Amino acid sequence: MKALLCDEPGRLTLVHRPMPVRAQDEVLVRIRHVGICGTDFHIYAGKHPFLEYPRVMGHELSGTVEEAPEGSGLAAGQPVYIVPYLSCGHCHACSKGLTNACQNIRVLGVHCDGGMAEYLSVPVRNVVPTGKIALEDAAMIEFLAIGAHGVKRGGITAADRVLVTGAGPIGMSAIIFAKARGAEVAVMDTREDRLAFAAEGLGADYTLMADADADAAIARLTEGNGFDVVIDATGNAGPMQRGFAFLAHGARYVLLSVVRSDITFADPEFHKREATLFASRNAQPDDFAEVVRQMEAGNVPTRALNTHTGRLSDAVSLFTEWSRPEAGVIKAILEV
C-alpha cells in the first residue's frame, strides 16, 4: 500500500509498505479522507513536542470498513470515522473515564503511525459509523471535537462572554461550539482574513487584532471587566501568557494549545481574580457525538471550512504549498 512518510523535519516521501495485519479485536479500514491538522504541519516543521521520526502522520480520518470482527456491529463497506486516541483502558486516568488523558496514550500519527496511508488497522472501539455525515466531512470530526471538548472544559453557557485567541481551525472549532451554547464570542488573531471568516462564516460577535492595542480594545469591549472564559488556540507561548490579562474576576482560562516551553503568569493577578486554569487535551466520546449532532443540525459550515483538497499521491508538494500562510488554508483534506 502507499503511505506518506515524514522522514525528518521538512522531508516527506511517498513510500510503499506492506498492508497492515488486522488483530482479532481490530478493524481494517480503507482510508478515504485525511484532514491536515496544525499538528501535522508542526510535525513537518519539527516543532511537535511528543514525536519521533520517521512517522506516518494523519489522525483526522474517515474511510470504509474493509474487514471487521464478528459481533463488532460493523460491516464491510460501511462508512466510518476513526477516533485516533489509542487509550490503554486500565491506567488511573482511564479508570476515571479520562481516556483522552490516558497515561499510556498513543495518538495515531503522533506516537505511532497514522492514517496518511491506504489502509489502517485500529481497535474496534476507535471506529465509529458516520451515520448521515458525508465521508469527506467526517474527516473533520476529530478537529472539531477538540474545540467541543475545550468549550465543555470551560463550562461555557449563554451567560458567558468568551474570547478565543487564535483563529486557526482549532480556534474556529471553539467558536462554533461556544456559539452553539449561546455565548457571546470574540475572537483575536493577527490575520485579518481569519478574523473576517470567523465573523462572516462562524458568527463571531466581535473580532480583535492581536496587536499592541488589544488590551485597550478588550477593556472597552468588556467595560473593563475582561472575559468570563478565555480559550487559547494560538500554539504560541507568548500569547498564552498574555491571555491571563484578559480574564475577568471568577473567569476560566482554557488552554487548547500545547507548547514545548514553560509558560508563566503573575500569581497575585491570577489569585485576586480567583480564576481557574484548565488544560484541554484531545476529546472524549461525548465530544465526538456533540460534533455529529451539530453537523446533522447544519450548525457546522463544513463546505466553508474545507478550503483545500488534494490527493495523497500529490501530498509531498501539497504540504509545502499548504504550509504557507498566503495559501489561505483553513482545513485541507487529502483524498486517498
Side-chain angles (χ1 to χ4, degrees):
M1 68 171 187
K2 293 177 183 177
L4 186 69
L5 186 68
C6 188
D7 303 279
E8 61 186 15
R11 191 174 73 164
L12 300 174
T13 309
L14 194 64
V15 299
H16 289 269
R17 286 187 158 189
M19 284 272 293
V21 177
R22 183 180 69 84
Q24 188 174 1
D25 63 343
E26 291 184 339
V27 179
L28 181 64
V29 178
R30 172 72 166 92
I31 302 299
R32 300 293 184 180
H33 299 279
V34 184
I36 308 299
C37 178
T39 295
D40 300 312
F41 287 121
H42 285 158
I43 292 169
Y44 180 58
K47 297 179 180 179
H48 198 283
F50 304 130
L51 185 117
E52 294 181 1
Y53 298 89
R55 178 66 68 227
V56 174
M57 299 178 291
H59 61 277
E60 299 179 4
L61 307 169
S62 66
T64 53
V65 173
E66 191 76 9
E67 298 175 4
E70 282 189 36
S72 66
L74 298 168
Q78 188 171 10
V80 294
Y81 68 88
I82 293 174
V83 176
Y85 320 128
L86 308 182
S87 54
C88 71
H90 55 73
C91 69
H92 179 70
C94 286
S95 70
K96 298 174 68 176
L98 303 176
T99 53
N100 61 308
C102 169
Q103 292 163 245
N104 306 300
I105 199 166
R106 294 181 302 138
V107 178
L108 293 173
V110 179
H111 305 95
C112 57
D113 284 344
M116 287 189 191
E118 293 180 302
Y119 293 90
L120 187 67
S121 190
V122 290
V124 172
R125 65 178 179 272
N126 292 82
V127 181
V128 185
T130 58
K132 300 175 183 178
I133 307 301
L135 264 183
E136 186 174 359
D137 293 344
M140 292 190 277
I141 291 174
E142 191 273 343
F143 96 83
L144 290 162
I146 298 288
H149 184 67
V151 166
K152 181 180 72 178
R153 289 283 284 159
I156 290 173
T157 71
D160 289 319
R161 278 181 165 178
V162 178
L163 172 66
V164 176
T165 57
I170 298 298
M172 290 180 185
S173 67
I175 295 167
I176 289 168
F177 292 97
K179 290 296 296 181
R181 291 187 174 212
E184 181 181 276
V185 180
V187 58
M188 177 186 291
D189 201 271
T190 58
R191 289 176 52 176
E192 292 183 356
D193 60 330
R194 289 285 178 89
L195 293 175
F197 181 83
E200 297 163 12
L202 306 179
D205 299 285
Y206 304 99
T207 60
L208 298 159
M209 284 297 293
D211 56 22
D213 298 325
D215 296 70
I218 287 173
R220 288 193 299 270
L221 184 61
T222 64
E223 299 86 39
N225 293 316
F227 288 93
D228 302 303
V229 183
V230 176
I231 298 179
D232 176 86
T234 64
N236 187 298
M240 291 167 77
Q241 293 179 159
R242 188 182 187 189
F244 285 91
F246 305 147
L247 298 173
H249 283 239
R252 290 93 72 196
Y253 192 9
V254 182
L255 299 182
L256 285 178
S257 297
V258 59
V259 292
R260 285 180 177 271
S261 56
D262 293 345
I263 59 170
T264 62
F265 57 91
D267 182 59
E269 292 297 320
F270 188 74
H271 190 86
K272 78 180 184 183
R273 287 169 170 78
E274 199 178 45
T276 306
L277 179 62
F278 292 94
S280 182
R281 188 182 187 193
N282 302 326
Q284 296 173 325
D286 62 317
D287 303 311
F288 284 85
E290 172 65 6
V291 172
V292 171
R293 280 194 296 270
Q294 295 297 341
M295 279 184 158
E296 289 178 340
N299 295 330
V300 181
T302 53
R303 295 279 68 80
L305 290 168
N306 179 196
T307 54
H308 293 66
T309 59
R311 297 192 63 78
L312 179 70
S313 55
D314 299 321
V316 173
S317 59
L318 289 174
F319 247 84
T320 301
E321 179 185 338
W322 288 345
S323 61
R324 297 181 303 112
E326 55 268 31
V329 173
I330 294 177
K331 177 56 60 177
I333 295 180
L334 291 174
E335 299 174 355
V336 184

